[in-house]
């Protein structure tokens, strides 16, 4: 039986604040002997935890024994965050993690849940699945008497910033669309704002698309129905990065064209929705249920 594909990714959609922290991460990794191949993963975790916009960039305060979050500075937070993830990987086994991305996902989910998740996953050969992550969350919430425990969607949230280094997709977007996408990547991680049309307001789905085009002299309305009307249909088999992917009935009437994002590849889109500005998976059942079509702006 051949080993599973080894983990090799590049991070994209990172904020300037997170990118600026890369030297600090590399220094912390060197101190604990963590291989540099995990740098993009750590930056993706940092993006999910804080976007680099607070002092406790890795949200590490509580793992250091503080009763409240955001009690430490950036360097301390990074050192502790690196240590926690590296300890999780070693607890599963470095070689085993290297052989299986699903085991690495268990180590990353344990960054959010705590080390108990690694023990919970041992009977499953430490191979992550979302259903097991949800099961652990429900179990811990019941034990603690809380309404919820951790983030069962944590892997999806971190992996939206990661692309296979040798694959197609967002990490390899080129040409004119790369310039348009680069215009909005600095806002990655910001929350969705209904009616938001610019950086000072925040962005909704149609607003971020319209604003991105405007930065390159392209006039495109900021209303989904009009955006649909002013673009032409494209077959899925012909879709390319930079096309527009539309959805209907996410609010309002079932047939109302209510959501738009930039199409990236066969699984990925980029835009602003209820989970914030960032990369999203348009093959998720929710989006497939509301899929309306892929279209192209003909300039």
């Amino acid at each position: 039986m051949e080993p599973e594909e080894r983990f090799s990714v590049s991070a994209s959609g990172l904020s300037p604040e997170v990118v600026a922290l890369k030297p600090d991460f590399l220094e912390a990794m060197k101190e604990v002997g963590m291989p540099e191949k995990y740098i993009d993963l750590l930056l993706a975790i940092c993006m999910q935890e804080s976007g680099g916009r607070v002092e406790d960039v890795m949200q590490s305060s509580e793992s250091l024994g503080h009763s409240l979050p955001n009690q430490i500075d950036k360097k301390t937070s990074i050192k502790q965050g690196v240590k926690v993830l590296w300890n999780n990987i070693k607890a599963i086994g470095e070689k085993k993690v290297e052989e299986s991305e699903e085991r690495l996902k268990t180590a990353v989910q344990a960054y959010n849940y705590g080390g108990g998740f690694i023990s919970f996953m041992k009977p499953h050969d430490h191979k992550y699945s979302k259903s097991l992550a949800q099961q652990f969350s429900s179990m811990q919430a019941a034990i603690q008497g809380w309404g919820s425990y951790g983030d069962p969607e944590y892997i999806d949230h971190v992996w939206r910033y990661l692309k296979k280094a040798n694959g197609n997709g967002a990490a390899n977007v080129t040409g004119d669309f790369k310039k348009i996408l680069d215009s909005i990547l600095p806002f990655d991680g910001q929350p969705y704002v209904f009616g938001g049309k610019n950086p000072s307001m925040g962005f909704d789905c149609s607003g971020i698309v319209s604003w991105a085009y405007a930065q390159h002299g392209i006039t495109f309305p900021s209303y989904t129905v009009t955006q649909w009307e002013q673009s032409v249909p494209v077959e899925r088999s012909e879709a390319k990065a930079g096309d527009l992917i539309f959805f209907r009935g996410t609010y309002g009437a079932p047939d109302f064209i209510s959501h738009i994002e930039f199409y990236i590849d066969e699984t990925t889109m980029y835009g602003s929705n209820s989970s914030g500005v960032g990369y999203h998976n348009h093959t998720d059942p929710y989006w497939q249920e509301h899929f309306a079509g892929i279209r192209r702006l003909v300039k």
Side-chain angles (χ1 to χ4, degrees):
M1 183 175 179
E2 294 183 2
E4 298 174 46
E5 183 178 356
R6 294 178 182 231
F7 182 69
S8 178
V9 299
S10 60
S12 57
L14 303 176
S15 69
E17 292 89 345
V18 169
V19 173
L21 295 171
K22 185 173 180 178
D24 294 321
F25 274 100
L26 290 171
E27 180 182 346
M29 293 168 72
K30 186 176 181 180
E31 287 182 9
V32 298
M34 188 177 194
E36 287 191 12
K37 67 182 178 181
Y38 292 112
I39 181 62
D40 287 272
L41 174 60
L42 282 161
L43 294 175
I45 291 172
C46 183
M47 191 66 201
Q48 172 59 24
E49 291 292 335
S50 71
R53 299 181 182 100
V54 298
E55 279 295 304
D56 187 2
V57 290
M58 291 293 278
Q59 295 295 284
S60 302
S61 291
E62 290 166 290
S63 68
L64 279 171
H66 294 279
S67 58
L68 296 172
N70 298 308
Q71 301 297 304
I72 53 180
D73 60 37
K74 283 186 175 71
K75 286 198 177 239
T76 304
S77 181
I78 288 169
K79 286 184 178 182
Q80 179 63 9
V82 168
K83 180 180 177 181
V84 168
L85 181 62
W86 186 226
N87 284 344
N88 288 349
I89 290 172
K90 290 192 293 183
I92 295 170
E94 296 173 46
K95 189 173 186 299
K96 287 188 173 183
V97 167
E98 185 179 335
E99 292 172 349
S100 169
E101 186 173 326
E102 299 312 308
R103 293 192 187 102
L104 180 64
K105 287 181 177 179
T106 293
V108 174
Q109 183 68 63
Y111 188 92
N112 176 257
Y113 278 165
F117 185 64
I118 294 175
S119 299
F120 174 80
M121 292 297 293
K122 186 175 182 180
H124 307 282
D125 197 20
H126 291 116
K127 290 187 176 181
Y128 169 90
S129 74
K130 184 179 286 189
S131 62
L132 287 170
Q134 291 169 333
Q135 182 181 332
F136 183 83
S137 175
S138 298
M139 180 183 73
Q140 290 299 311
I143 291 172
Q144 301 294 337
W146 297 342
S148 62
Y149 182 91
D151 179 7
E153 307 288 330
Y154 193 72
I155 293 302
D156 287 343
H157 291 156
V158 171
W159 253 251
R160 62 181 168 166
Y161 301 111
L162 298 172
K163 289 289 171 184
K164 290 289 184 182
N166 60 349
N168 297 320
N172 296 314
V173 168
T174 59
D176 290 340
F177 177 57
K178 184 177 189 304
K179 299 175 184 176
I180 293 171
L181 183 62
D182 285 347
S183 299
I184 53 178
L185 289 180
F187 309 110
D188 206 284
Q190 291 187 2
Y192 173 91
V193 177
F194 185 79
K197 306 300 180 188
N198 56 58
S200 61
M201 297 172 64
F203 291 107
D204 64 9
C205 67
S206 57
I208 198 167
V209 170
S210 176
W211 188 89
Y213 278 133
Q215 306 318 296
H216 300 275
I218 303 169
T219 301
F220 194 52
S222 57
Y223 178 52
T224 52
V225 174
T226 311
Q227 290 172 332
W228 172 274
E229 293 171 347
Q230 293 191 11
S231 53
V232 299
V234 176
E235 294 295 327
R236 273 187 185 266
S237 59
E238 301 297 323
K240 62 182 182 180
D243 285 338
L244 304 167
I245 185 166
F246 288 87
F247 303 87
R248 63 175 85 244
T250 56
Y251 70 91
D255 289 331
F256 176 62
I257 299 298
S258 57
H259 189 72
I260 180 176
E261 297 196 25
F262 283 115
Y263 177 91
I264 301 296
D265 60 25
E266 293 86 351
T267 62
T268 312
M269 59 186 180
Y270 191 93
S272 182
N273 64 35
S274 59
S275 64
V277 176
Y279 292 104
H280 308 116
N281 187 341
H282 59 74
T283 66
D284 283 349
Y286 174 83
W287 294 114
Q288 287 299 296
E289 178 184 349
H290 295 280
F291 176 73
I294 299 172
R295 299 174 75 86
R296 183 171 298 162
L297 176 60
V298 179
K299 301 184 281 293

